[in-house]
Amino acid sequence: MSTTTTAPAAAPAASRRGPRLSGLTWLVWRQHRAAFWTGLAVTAAAIAWFAYQRASMMNYLNGIGWPNPKSPDWSAGFETYHSQLSSTSSALGFLMPVLVGVFLGAPLIANDLEHGTGKLVTSQAVSRGRWLAMKLGMTVLVVTVCTAALSAAFGWWLGPVSKTNRELYWVVGGATGPLPVALTLLTTVAGVAIGMVLRRTLLSMVVTFGFAVTVQLVWAFRWMDLGNLVTLTTHDGVGAGTFPKLPETAYDTDQSYLTDSGELLAPSSCAKETEQAINACLDKNDIVGWSVDYLPPSELSPMLWTGSAILLALIAPVAVFIIWWGRKRLY
């Protein structure tokens, strides 16, 4: 008597674990996944490069006995690293906000309006406000993560030598902390608003480029105004060796001659051809010393945070405008 056996039923496929996007979140990510993944990949590659450059720099510094260099001309060998830090600072502080605003912010909604994609999405069971909020929120999240990671990694690279000289501390160091994040978010959100109003991708990118460059120029010329200046005066004359000694890495913003009556004169007022003529000018104006306005090193961090707070405060009304305009006048 033969018997038959029945093979056990195949076990159900193991359920997938881990977070899975769905609904509108999945749709927005899928629509912009090329831009998002590109940003994440560039961020990872840049951080790896920062780590490599820092390791190379530290090998050099350890070789010269840092922080007490064995040779007085150590800065000559450090010039390559100084140049790399300066160029990277320019890329993070200037180039990155412009590129992200132009190539991610401006086309984000303008491309949908130009090709009708947004109208198709919102014709389903998705409100305009929810669609806009998801696109803007996901973009802001990705930009924040990438720029914050880049800023932190660059600050880690710069840290060991940040107080070496004034340029590294104030100019290069100005591209660390919250500032690159705030600048990039502002140009990105403004680019989204510009694209939504103009409704043409290429035109929006051009206008966003002009806006981003303008923001950078205004910031470059005005951010020093956020600091609290300290004035240092002397009464030891203005000859050799009489210029006041400032704190290490302090940033002097103005230098003037100080007269006996307390009046300030520009040094150029006594810029004569001969030493005798210079001394005669100094005596004639009763110049007794120097008056120097400077920013102490302790001011840098508060200035960066204050400036970033101002930039982030500007983003809020732009984001509100995007949602308001999108709900009322998107189509």
Side-chain angles (χ1 to χ4, degrees), residues 37-284:
W37 279 120
T38 298
L40 293 170
V42 170
T43 298
I47 291 175
W49 186 75
F50 292 172
Y52 171 79
Q53 292 298 333
R54 186 184 190 277
S56 176
M57 181 184 74
M58 292 307 299
N59 285 336
Y60 169 76
L61 293 177
N62 292 332
I64 62 173
W66 189 262
N68 299 305
K70 303 173 184 176
S71 173
D73 59 348
W74 67 271
S75 57
F78 184 72
E79 187 61 32
T80 299
Y81 302 105
H82 188 292
S83 177
Q84 291 172 344
L85 287 166
S86 298
S87 59
T88 304
S89 171
S90 299
L92 290 180
F94 182 85
L95 190 60
M96 181 175 65
V98 174
L99 291 179
V100 175
V102 170
F103 291 101
L104 180 59
L108 191 73
I109 294 177
N111 190 59
D112 290 340
L113 297 178
E114 190 171 14
H115 296 92
T117 308
K119 189 173 183 179
L120 175 63
V121 173
T122 56
S123 65
Q124 310 300 317
V126 178
S127 66
R128 298 175 183 176
R130 185 184 170 200
W131 176 66
L132 288 171
M134 181 58 68
K135 287 175 72 73
L136 185 62
M138 187 173 291
T139 301
V140 166
L141 177 61
V142 172
V143 170
T144 301
V145 169
C146 292
T147 53
L150 287 171
S151 179
F154 180 64
W156 174 64
W157 174 16
L158 174 65
V161 295
S162 62
K163 295 183 179 180
T164 302
N165 57 51
R166 189 181 73 169
E167 181 184 353
L168 282 177
Y169 189 79
W170 289 94
V171 180
V172 177
T176 60
L179 184 60
V181 181
L183 277 172
T184 308
L185 285 176
L186 177 60
T187 57
T188 302
V189 175
V192 173
I194 291 170
M196 188 173 61
V197 173
L198 298 181
R199 308 171 72 90
R200 293 292 182 270
T201 303
L202 183 58
L203 177 60
S204 300
M205 294 172 71
V206 173
V207 175
T208 300
F209 176 81
F211 171 82
V213 171
T214 301
V215 168
Q216 295 281 18
L217 292 177
V218 171
W219 173 259
F221 282 105
R222 305 304 302 181
W223 81 283
M224 285 292 182
D225 295 340
L226 299 174
N228 296 314
L229 290 174
V230 175
T231 301
L232 179 62
T233 59
T234 64
H235 295 77
D236 302 323
V238 293
T242 61
F243 191 82
K245 182 174 177 58
L246 302 180
E248 187 178 5
T249 66
Y251 193 99
D252 56 302
T253 61
D254 187 44
Q255 302 174 9
S256 303
Y257 287 148
L258 178 67
T259 67
D260 188 45
S261 63
E263 183 183 359
L264 300 180
L265 295 178
S268 58
S269 60
C270 285
K272 308 300 182 180
E273 295 181 356
T274 65
E275 184 177 354
Q276 183 178 3
I278 293 175
N279 292 331
C281 178
L282 297 176
D283 293 338
K284 178 181 178 181

Side-chain angles (χ1 to χ4, degrees), residues 259-312:
T259 67
D260 188 45
S261 63
E263 183 183 359
L264 300 180
L265 295 178
S268 58
S269 60
C270 285
K272 308 300 182 180
E273 295 181 356
T274 65
E275 184 177 354
Q276 183 178 3
I278 293 175
N279 292 331
C281 178
L282 297 176
D283 293 338
K284 178 181 178 181
N285 291 283
D286 294 325
I287 293 175
V288 297
W290 291 95
S291 176
V292 181
D293 293 335
Y294 71 93
L295 290 167
S298 59
E299 283 293 299
L300 178 59
S301 181
M303 288 167 63
L304 293 178
W305 281 100
T306 301
S308 300
I310 294 173
L311 295 173
L312 292 174

